[in-house]
Amino acid sequence: MTFMHTPEFRRREQLRRNQTHCHAGHPLTPHNTREEVCTRNGREYTLRICKACERQRHRQKKRASGR
């Protein structure tokens, strides 16, 4: 049995689904969220990616590379 088939994984998945804010505190609204479908171990699931955090990561990368 893989971790993805355990009750613990299902519980964590449900908690992520009910999340209203990202780890940095930005709201996970449809306007501020990009959804990406991923497949892992033959199972398909949707990632919600915070656009505000993505912009910040992009700016930091840009500064670090000297552009």
Side-chain angles (χ1 to χ4, degrees):
M1 180 189 287
T2 67
F3 178 69
M4 295 180 80
H5 295 100
T6 62
E8 176 68 16
F9 178 80
R10 289 191 191 100
R11 187 182 67 76
R12 288 182 184 185
E13 188 176 41
Q14 187 64 38
L15 288 172
R16 281 191 298 273
R17 211 176 280 141
N18 294 335
Q19 240 180 339
T20 58
H21 290 75
C22 73
H23 69 282
H26 303 118
L28 290 175
T29 61
H31 177 69
N32 188 41
T33 307
R34 180 173 64 83
E35 291 188 352
E36 187 175 305
V37 177
C38 293
T39 304
R40 187 177 289 169
N41 295 332
R43 185 170 187 272
E44 206 171 81
Y45 62 98
T46 304
L47 289 174
R48 291 186 303 166
I49 300 165
C50 175
K51 288 181 182 179
C53 288
E54 210 169 36
R55 282 190 297 273
Q56 285 177 345
R57 281 192 300 273
H58 180 70
R59 277 190 228 122
Q60 287 173 348
K61 270 183 153 179
K62 209 171 178 181
R63 276 190 222 124
S65 68
R67 290 183 182 180

